[in-house]
Amino acid sequence: MAYVQAIQALRDYNNGVSDTPIMKGAIDRIINTPPRGIGPKSKKLIRGNAVEISVEALVKAMARKDLREQVRVAALDLFNLMNRFAKMEIDRPSELIGKLLEETDWIRPLQQELDGRQAINRMQTLQEEAATYRYVDGFLNTMSQKVSFKMDDDGLALTTIHGAKGLEWSVVFLAGFNEYELPSAQSLREAAGGDPVEERHVAHVAFSRAKDLLLLSWYQDQIRPDGRLRPMIRSSFVGKIPQEVLHEFDEKYLKVARDNEPLDDYYTSEEEAFEVMFG
């Protein structure tokens, strides 16, 4: 992503969009990835007192006497790579990523690393995601929202299923898991009683975002345009999930007697019910 970001910034600069390309830390991420022999100390020297390594700082690094020759050559190679790709007439982000992986020979060293397979899988996932976009700028706008997720323990990310591709969270809430929503009414009509395969794939994407716990919720009624309530049912995809991994969690467990004493087989709070149901 940082490579694509840096290349697009240079394109904008070459096209006169801005006086100084804003890299948003992209060069800091790619300057030694894959390894070029530019260590933390050299990166700090190149950055100086600035927040991030700019294009100007990268260019100046090519001739700085206080940097090792290997670092100066590596800075030159990286700048030439960025500039060459910025001048290429490649609009599709998936094609750009493919050529970057080929040019940098990034996959080969990853194959030798202990967790390299996971990194390669993430790159393949990113390239598959990129294939759904026609232009680089649109791809960057969407993906920049994803990679900016930096949350503490109390954080919550709100996203669409499409926007969650390639991401994972410990706990995922899938809201509105109703028939005619997922699968959609249109997909059910097109399937004509058969299996809405594409919608099942979307559901699988949503399910697999959760590493530890997935909570599915659906609504019982929908307000019609005339103000009346339309009864709704949960998604038929619930029946596709192995029953041994499902746990029902109903509001009845939270009912409390008028004298504030818990009824038999009920829980006194959401916390107690959640702890018993899900551990």
Side-chain angles (χ1 to χ4, degrees):
M1 283 302 305
Y3 269 102
V4 177
Q5 190 172 309
I7 291 166
Q8 185 63 27
L10 271 182
R11 282 181 175 178
D12 292 341
Y13 176 71
N14 293 336
N15 292 329
V17 175
S18 61
D19 295 332
T20 304
I22 301 174
M23 293 296 175
K24 299 180 181 178
I27 295 180
D28 292 72
R29 296 186 181 96
I30 67 176
I31 195 167
N32 198 45
T33 307
R36 295 188 176 86
I38 302 179
K41 290 184 179 180
S42 297
K43 286 177 63 175
K44 187 175 181 180
L45 285 172
I46 295 172
R47 187 185 305 111
N49 296 323
V51 177
E52 64 170 320
I53 299 176
S54 63
V55 176
E56 290 81 359
L58 185 66
V59 171
K60 290 178 180 178
M62 304 174 193
R64 285 178 56 167
K65 300 298 183 182
D66 57 340
L67 295 173
R68 292 179 293 111
E69 182 181 0
Q70 180 184 1
V71 175
R72 296 197 297 268
V73 173
L76 174 62
D77 289 342
L78 177 59
F79 176 77
N80 287 338
L81 174 72
M82 291 166 50
N83 201 39
R84 186 165 66 255
F85 271 82
K87 293 178 180 179
M88 291 182 182
E89 295 182 0
I90 301 177
D91 291 327
R92 292 193 176 277
S94 59
E95 183 181 352
L96 181 60
I97 292 173
K99 287 188 177 296
L100 274 168
L101 291 176
E102 179 181 350
E103 181 81 11
T104 59
D105 195 23
W106 200 339
I107 300 298
R108 185 176 56 80
L110 285 175
Q111 291 173 336
Q112 311 301 321
E113 295 182 9
L114 186 61
D115 59 346
R117 172 47 56 186
Q118 294 181 356
I120 293 172
N121 289 340
R122 287 195 296 270
M123 288 185 184
Q124 292 173 343
T125 300
L126 180 66
Q127 198 165 4
E128 290 172 3
E129 173 80 355
T132 64
Y133 293 85
R134 178 66 181 85
Y135 297 105
V136 172
D137 53 355
F139 172 67
L140 277 176
N141 288 337
T142 300
M143 295 302 295
S144 63
Q145 299 176 26
K146 292 185 177 184
V147 299
S148 64
F149 284 141
K150 294 181 180 178
M151 299 163 291
D152 56 26
D153 293 338
D154 297 324
L156 179 70
L158 182 64
T159 178
T160 62
I161 296 176
H162 178 76
K165 284 183 177 179
L167 300 176
E168 281 187 330
W169 291 273
S170 179
V171 179
V172 169
F173 297 82
L174 179 58
F177 193 46
N178 285 77
E179 195 75 349
Y180 308 116
E181 296 283 359
L182 185 61
S184 67
Q186 180 178 347
S187 69
L188 290 171
R189 285 194 298 268
E190 293 174 351
D195 183 13
V197 178
E198 290 299 323
E199 293 286 277
R200 184 155 48 84
H201 175 69
V202 173
H204 178 267
V205 170
F207 292 173
S208 54
R209 299 312 93 202
K211 292 190 289 186
D212 301 313
L213 179 64
L214 171 68
L215 293 111
L216 308 172
S217 67
W218 48 87
Y219 45 89
Q220 296 177 334
D221 302 289
Q222 185 182 60
I223 300 178
R224 294 157 50 110
D226 58 10
R228 292 188 298 172
L229 292 179
R230 174 191 294 137
M232 300 293 290
I233 60 175
R234 69 185 187 183
S235 172
S236 56
F237 286 151
V238 173
K240 304 287 186 183
I241 304 172
Q243 296 301 300
E244 61 268 19
V245 303
L246 284 177
H247 299 277
E248 293 283 348
F249 181 66
D250 195 276
E251 63 179 1
K252 70 180 181 181
Y253 292 113
L254 305 179
K255 294 180 180 178
V256 179
R258 290 183 178 179
D259 59 0
N260 290 326
E261 289 297 326
L263 299 171
D264 292 340
D265 300 325
Y266 290 80
Y267 304 114
T268 58
S269 68
E270 290 90 341
E271 290 79 7
E272 183 183 353
F274 191 91
E275 178 69 24
V276 172
M277 299 301 294
F278 302 112

